[in-house]
Amino acid sequence: MRLHTLTLTAFGPFAGTETVRVDEVARDGLFLLWGPTGAGKTTLLDAVVFALYGTVPGARGEARRLRSDHADAATRTEVSCELTLAGERLLVVRRPEQTRPKKRGTGETTEQAKLTVQRHTADGWEPVSTRIDEGSEYLRVRLGLSAEQFCQVVLLPQGDFARFLRAEPEDRGRLLRTLFDVDRFARAEDWLAGERRAAEEELRADRHRVSTLLHRVAQIADVEVPEELAPELVGARPGASVGAWVTGVRGRAAERLVAAAAEADDAAAASTRAEAELAAARALADRHARRDRARAELERLTAREPELAPLRDRADAGRRAEVLRDVLGAAGRAARAAERAATAREAAEAAWAAVSGGRPAGPEPARELRDAAAAVRALLPEADRAADLAAEVARLSREGERLTGRVAAGARAVEEEPARVAAAQARLDAAQAAAARLPGLTAADEAARAALEAATRAAEVTGRLDRAAKAADAARLGWLEARERLVEVRTARLEGMAAELAAGLTDGADCPVCGSAEHPRPAVPAGPAVTADDEERARAAVDAAEERRTAAGRAVEELERRLAVLRAQAGELPAAELAGRAAAAAAERAEVAALARGVEAARRELAAAEQRRDAAATALAADREALQRVTAEHAARAESHAELAARLDAARGEDRDLPARVARLTAEAARCEAAVAAAEEEGRARTAAGEARDAAEQRAAAAGFAGVGEAAAALLEDGRLAALDRRLRDHDEAHAVVVATLADPELADLGERPDVAAGQQRCAELTARREDAVTALDQARRCADALDALAGDVVSAEVELAERRARAEQVSGLADLVGGRGANTLRMRLQSFVLAARLEQVAEVASRRLQEMSRGRYTFLHSDALGRHGARGGLGLDVLDEYTGVRRPTKTLSGGESFMASLALALGLADVVTAEAGGVQMDTLFVDEGFGTLDAQALDAVMGVLDELRRGGRTVGVISHLEELRTRIPTRLEVVAGRSGSRLAG
């Protein structure tokens, strides 16, 4: 990330619009943001964070006061930031939620927050997103850092790291958790804790299962469970005698089964004997009962003989009258026909009298009535025409109602079609929104592919790093050898320095050592002469070796940095899973791209909906015109029908309608004719009745009856004679059967009647004994079978309980280990262990810069020691003082030393977080305050480190109010504070 331009309006203490052209002030790679305390130097950094993340770091963000109190009410608070991010030049403009005066009327209205992101292309600025959520996601993906990480990596707030140096391990852990993602390790801890609870619950369930099986065994066998096998003790210690106890219970149940079987056999034999004796007694008692019944039946039949004599006479008379049934029936039928004819005549005359109006019945009145009916019948076609007119009027009425309904439905359709048009417009908007989302998903897809490529490249860099490390070791050995050679040359030259000086003496010239002009005994070299050129060449060799060592070390550091960046960019996932994620991102991108491709289809659908809306309006107009036409036709047909109905009403008279009048006149004529015909029929029926009675009198006298009445009285109804004959025959047959029964030899000499009740009681007692024995046998058998079935379940449950106990102990031990308990002597949780590894990495990276700033005195050391009062360890941080060789807490550092340590720690943490976030290159950094604690020498060292930071094109901004820094850093950006707000000088 490289910052180019920052513009803020009505933001913080700045009342107007201020623009910072970072490219201009950062030409040298180092510039000073200078101003008095409270002028708003840090506000410029807050504006950068707000533009990128929509929030302000620290307590200033909690107050949510972004708008300047000095700004005019009509001026909108806004931050604009132009920067290069992930190879793209972007323009980010963000406004917070704020109030403004209403354009009409008085009062204020709330203006919603806004965010626009634009990309610079060859044709100028093109929009990327105008939505806050989409634009924020677009920036977050390319930054690769959260807001907290960005503030720690780019802004380097030294006060926070000074507190970090002196904080307790738990406080350090809270800051590190905001910078490094350890949620997956926390989830692992929670998962193991859940697994431990589940294992304990399963163990309790298995114990309960074993206890339940033991209680079932005890319930089936009707025994008590021993105290050592109580529910709370089941499975508590290995080797419990559950199987032995169940085996003993099964043995006692088998013994009870054998005894119950023997008792059941004895009871069955005794019951069988008693049942045979009872059967013999019942047979004898039955013969006694049969003889007693036969004697009683004979007495009853003999007593009924006087009652049957009249029935025998009645049957004889009935048989004689049966031959006269036909003539008697004919005479009766003729008499009844004459009576019916008289009744019919009376009914016909009464029916005619009801409608005759006093006229006697005859052919003439009947003819007059039929002529009147014919006249009315001639008008029936006119009635049909009236009915047709009525039907047409009804049809036109229904058509009018139908058209009225269609008009109403068409009106509703005209009202509803705009909603459908709006729905089609919404689908078009959704497709266009997908088209807008497509660039963000494309970036996510590219990021996933980049992570997969980074994992592949990391494997390659690992091999190169091994070779570079070997080369660095070789360069270091060469440098040591060159240094040793320089020492040897320098020592040899020092030893031959007297001979070297003697070689330069001349007679009469002063000695450069003693000043004498006489040289009585000049020194001579003891060995080969070593000159200054030799020493200079040895020193040049050392410098060259040192450069090679430095270059090799930098190559190793560069490869390590590249490897860390690649590993951080690839993450901790294996290459296969990265490939899966890349495939998933590509699939999502394809899905959204497919939705975005539906823009044209949505446009066509919208056009079709608008066309349906227009068609509905046209149809409504046509239906309204048809309704007017049908209404006019209905009025004309209704008038014609009214005229014809009046004429038919006059012809109908008092009748309901013409068919009713025809039916009435026809019915009256029929009644008149029926009265004449009924009188004639009565005469004929009376003549036939007299003839039939004379014939019946003659036949009755011949059969021995005094007259027709006596013969008719003797005649029995159908089946009565057969019933009398059957009753007399049954009596005679029953008398014969009873006599034959008493003559049976089985009923002779029966002896005394047996006591069946006593036999039944004894048999019942023996049967109850047998049933009790069988029940006891069945219970014993079921008990033994159930115990045999449960024995296997008990053994299986006991084995499963042992396995479950072992797994529960294993899971519990592992959960305690990652939770900082049990065998974990450091009491370090898993996420703390990961943070400790990150802190150790930060300490290693920060130590290099701390050594440079402290001139090799201090080195960061990570500590796993427990905290005070046995608190959890793993996040301790100490420094090693090379002057004393003593390891001491960071709290013992002085103010200036603390600043250097804080700055080194912040820079190291920035490097590690950047690598952790995927190797995002941060080309613009800001260092906020803390320089006032440094002396001149320490400030030189710190400035040397800052100079090193700007190598490779990086821009470093120093924020301070110190006058000394104004002389050290020539490029400055000054903030001036005033009563009307702050501004930038110049």
Side-chain angles (χ1 to χ4, degrees):
M1 183 208 78
R2 177 176 292 278
L3 188 64
H4 301 293
T5 305
L6 175 67
T7 302
L8 59 161
T9 302
F11 190 86
F14 297 95
T17 299
E18 302 292 340
T19 300
V20 179
R21 293 177 176 81
V22 181
D23 287 339
E24 296 181 4
V25 299
R27 287 189 299 269
D28 297 333
L30 181 66
F31 69 94
L32 174 65
L33 184 57
W34 189 88
T37 301
K41 301 185 297 298
T42 306
T43 301
L44 297 176
L45 307 186
D46 292 345
V48 175
V49 180
F50 174 74
L52 297 179
Y53 293 94
T55 185
V56 175
R60 299 182 299 279
E62 298 174 2
R64 300 180 63 84
R65 288 180 55 84
L66 303 178
R67 181 170 175 78
S68 175
D69 295 332
H70 303 283
D72 182 75
T75 303
R76 303 276 69 80
T77 298
E78 180 180 280
V79 175
S80 174
C81 181
E82 184 178 345
L83 72 162
T84 298
L85 191 61
E88 291 183 327
R89 189 159 184 136
L90 303 176
L91 178 61
V92 181
V93 180
R94 189 186 293 267
R95 286 185 178 183
E97 181 181 293
Q98 53 193 307
T99 59
R100 61 170 175 80
K102 292 183 177 178
K103 296 181 179 179
R104 295 180 180 178
T106 60
E108 294 184 339
T109 184
T110 300
E111 188 175 277
Q112 299 299 320
K114 294 181 180 179
L115 171 64
T116 60
V117 180
Q118 301 179 68
R119 180 194 300 113
H120 190 270
T121 63
D123 299 330
W125 293 102
E126 67 174 17
V128 174
S129 174
T130 58
R131 292 171 46 188
I132 293 179
D133 55 348
E134 187 177 59
S136 298
E137 180 64 16
Y138 184 84
L139 294 173
R140 188 196 64 79
V141 170
R142 279 152 181 76
L143 283 166
L145 300 172
S146 65
E148 293 82 2
Q149 291 174 327
F150 182 85
C151 293
Q152 297 295 336
V153 171
V154 179
L155 306 186
L156 304 183
Q158 299 309 310
D160 291 347
F161 282 95
R163 288 189 294 272
F164 182 80
L165 284 174
R166 295 174 172 81
E168 296 297 329
E170 288 297 327
D171 298 328
R172 286 200 186 100
R174 280 191 291 271
L175 175 60
L176 292 174
R177 287 187 185 92
T178 64
L179 302 178
F180 299 104
D181 182 14
V182 293
D183 290 343
R184 59 184 183 276
F185 302 103
R187 289 194 298 271
E189 292 179 14
D190 296 339
W191 179 81
L192 283 173
E195 287 295 306
R196 174 171 58 186
R197 290 191 296 272
E200 292 174 352
E201 185 64 29
E202 291 173 352
L203 181 60
R204 284 193 294 272
D206 284 354
R207 285 178 176 172
H208 178 71
R209 178 188 173 195
V210 173
S211 177
T212 301
L213 291 174
L214 292 179
H215 280 84
R216 286 181 60 189
V217 170
Q219 183 181 8
I220 292 172
D222 194 17
V223 297
E224 294 292 335
V225 179
E227 293 183 358
E228 62 271 14
L229 299 180
E232 62 274 9
L233 301 178
V234 171
R237 60 182 184 274
S241 57
V242 173
W245 179 75
V246 173
T247 301
V249 172
R250 290 175 61 195
R252 290 189 291 275
E255 294 174 357
R256 287 196 299 272
L257 177 60
V258 173
E263 177 63 21
D265 293 340
D266 294 342
S271 176
T272 301
R273 290 193 298 271
E275 288 176 353
E277 294 174 357
L278 178 60
R282 285 176 174 171
L284 180 59
D286 183 64
R287 289 200 296 274
H288 275 280
R290 285 172 57 198
R291 187 179 66 179
D292 294 344
R293 287 195 299 270
R295 288 175 178 175
E297 183 66 15
L298 181 60
E299 292 177 358
R300 186 181 67 80
L301 292 174
T302 302
R304 290 189 62 191
E305 284 294 337
E307 299 176 1
L308 296 178
L311 296 179
R312 296 182 188 278
D313 296 338
R314 177 67 174 159
D316 179 63
R319 275 191 293 271
R320 287 186 290 111
E322 186 66 28
V323 297
L324 303 176
R325 182 178 291 277
D326 54 347
V327 296
L328 294 176
R333 287 192 296 273
R336 289 191 297 274
E339 293 176 357
R340 288 195 299 272
T343 302
R345 177 187 56 76
E346 293 175 356
E349 290 178 350
W352 166 245
V355 298
S356 64
R359 292 179 294 173
E364 186 63 25
R367 186 168 52 254
E368 292 176 355
L369 290 171
R370 291 195 179 277
D371 291 343
V376 175
R377 190 178 292 111
L379 295 175
L380 289 178
E382 292 296 320
D384 294 337
R385 191 167 70 85
D388 292 340
L389 285 175
E392 184 66 15
V393 169
R395 184 189 67 78
L396 292 173
S397 178
R398 290 192 300 273
E399 181 67 14
E401 293 176 356
R402 185 183 67 81
L403 288 174
T404 302
R406 285 186 58 180
V407 168
R412 288 194 300 273
V414 169
E415 294 177 356
E416 293 172 356
E417 285 301 328
R420 296 189 178 92
V421 172
Q425 182 65 49
R427 287 189 285 275
L428 176 58
D429 294 342
Q432 290 175 341
R437 285 183 57 205
L438 188 58
L441 294 178
T442 301
D445 183 18
E446 293 172 354
R449 289 201 302 270
L452 180 60
E453 182 181 358
T456 304
R457 291 175 57 194
E460 300 175 358
V461 173
T462 301
R464 294 175 56 191
L465 178 60
D466 293 338
R467 293 190 297 272
K470 293 179 180 177
D473 292 340
R476 182 174 177 276
L477 291 176
W479 173 68
L480 293 175
E481 292 175 355
R483 286 189 60 187
E484 292 177 359
R485 174 60 181 164
L486 175 60
V487 172
E488 292 175 355
V489 170
R490 184 173 294 169
T491 302
R493 187 186 175 196
L494 291 175
E495 291 177 352
M497 184 60 68
E500 182 179 347
L501 293 175
L505 294 176
T506 58
D507 293 336
D510 295 337
C511 176
V513 178
C514 64
S516 174
E518 296 180 358
H519 313 294
R521 194 177 58 193
V524 295
V530 177
T531 65
D533 292 338
D534 294 336
E535 183 179 358
E536 187 60 30
R537 283 193 296 273
R539 182 179 296 108
V542 169
D543 294 340
E546 185 174 6
E547 289 180 2
R548 288 192 296 273
R549 178 184 67 86
T550 303
R554 287 176 180 174
V556 171
E557 291 179 358
E558 179 64 23
L559 289 175
E560 289 177 345
R561 188 177 301 106
R562 289 181 58 188
L563 181 59
V565 167
L566 289 174
R567 286 178 176 173
Q569 186 175 3
E572 299 182 359
L573 299 177
E577 188 169 350
L578 288 175
R581 290 196 175 186
E588 184 179 6
R589 174 185 177 183
E591 180 180 357
V592 175
L595 183 59
R597 286 194 295 272
V599 172
E600 292 302 325
R603 287 198 179 97
R604 290 194 295 273
E605 184 180 357
L606 176 59
E610 293 174 346
Q611 185 178 2
R612 288 194 297 272
R613 178 191 61 193
D614 298 340
T618 303
L620 177 60
D623 289 341
R624 285 175 175 168
E625 183 179 355
L627 178 60
Q628 293 177 357
R629 184 176 64 255
V630 169
T631 301
E633 186 176 357
H634 175 269
R637 296 298 175 87
E639 183 178 359
S640 299
H641 176 263
E643 294 176 358
L644 183 58
R647 187 156 57 89
L648 293 177
D649 288 343
R652 187 182 72 241
E654 297 179 356
D655 291 308
R656 183 178 69 255
D657 53 19
L658 293 182
R661 186 172 183 83
V662 171
R664 181 178 65 78
L665 293 175
T666 303
E668 289 178 358
R671 287 185 181 186
C672 182
E673 293 169 351
V676 173
E680 295 174 353
E681 181 65 24
E682 181 185 9
R684 290 191 296 269
R686 289 190 179 281
T687 300
E691 295 175 354
R693 183 171 180 83
D694 293 341
E697 288 287 347
Q698 295 175 4
R699 292 280 301 276
F705 292 103
V708 175
E710 183 179 352
L715 188 63
L716 298 174
E717 61 270 16
D718 292 341
R720 175 62 177 166
L721 178 60
L724 288 175
D725 290 340
R726 186 167 55 254
R727 181 177 178 185
L728 294 173
R729 186 172 58 254
D730 290 344
H731 175 77
D732 295 340
E733 290 177 356
H735 186 274
V737 169
V738 170
V739 172
T741 299
L742 291 174
D744 190 352
E746 288 186 357
L747 302 182
D749 299 331
L750 296 180
E752 296 182 0
R753 186 183 297 274
D755 190 355
V756 178
Q760 288 178 340
Q761 181 177 1
R762 182 170 179 275
C763 185
E765 293 174 353
L766 292 176
T767 301
R769 177 191 168 195
R770 180 189 62 188
E771 291 176 352
D772 292 342
V774 171
T775 301
L777 176 60
D778 182 64
Q779 291 177 350
R781 182 178 293 110
R782 283 190 286 107
C783 177
D785 294 343
L787 291 176
D788 291 342
L790 281 176
D793 294 340
V794 171
V795 174
S796 176
E798 191 173 13
V799 172
E800 291 180 2
L801 177 61
E803 295 175 353
R804 193 79 68 187
R805 183 191 305 111
R807 182 180 182 278
E809 291 175 354
Q810 182 181 12
V811 172
S812 179
L814 187 57
D816 288 341
L817 181 64
V818 301
R821 295 180 295 272
N824 192 335
T825 57
L826 293 177
R827 301 185 62 193
M828 188 186 304
R829 299 175 61 180
L830 178 59
Q831 53 183 315
S832 298
F833 178 77
V834 175
L835 291 177
R838 293 290 186 266
L839 181 59
E840 186 174 6
Q841 187 178 3
V842 169
E844 181 180 355
V845 176
S847 292
R848 300 185 190 131
R849 292 194 172 93
L850 180 58
Q851 287 179 348
E852 293 179 16
M853 286 187 284
S854 65
R855 301 185 183 277
R857 179 176 181 181
Y858 293 113
T859 302
F860 281 118
L861 294 178
H862 169 253
S863 174
D864 291 334
L866 297 176
R868 292 184 301 176
H869 308 295
R872 298 180 184 273
L875 297 178
L877 191 63
D878 297 333
V879 291
L880 176 63
D881 190 344
E882 296 290 347
Y883 289 2
T884 61
V886 176
R887 179 174 184 162
R888 68 189 204 188
T890 55
K891 296 179 181 180
T892 62
L893 295 175
S894 65
E897 292 172 340
S898 295
F899 170 74
M900 291 189 294
S902 300
L903 180 59
L905 190 62
L907 294 174
L909 189 60
D911 290 342
V912 175
V913 171
T914 301
E916 181 75 14
V920 179
Q921 183 65 33
M922 294 299 171
D923 294 325
T924 303
L925 299 177
F926 294 92
V927 181
D928 190 2
E929 288 298 350
F931 294 91
T933 60
L934 301 178
D935 55 22
Q937 187 176 6
L939 184 59
D940 288 338
V942 170
M943 294 303 295
V945 173
L946 295 180
D947 285 336
E948 183 183 354
L949 286 177
R950 62 179 177 174
R951 293 178 184 174
R954 182 178 294 181
T955 299
V956 180
V958 177
I959 304 171
S960 180
H961 60 277
L962 292 180
E963 288 290 342
E964 185 177 355
L965 289 178
R966 297 182 68 183
T967 62
R968 287 178 174 267
I969 304 177
T971 304
R972 294 184 300 275
L973 183 66
E974 185 175 353
V975 180
V976 179
R979 297 182 61 86
S980 59
S982 298
R983 61 182 178 82
L984 296 179

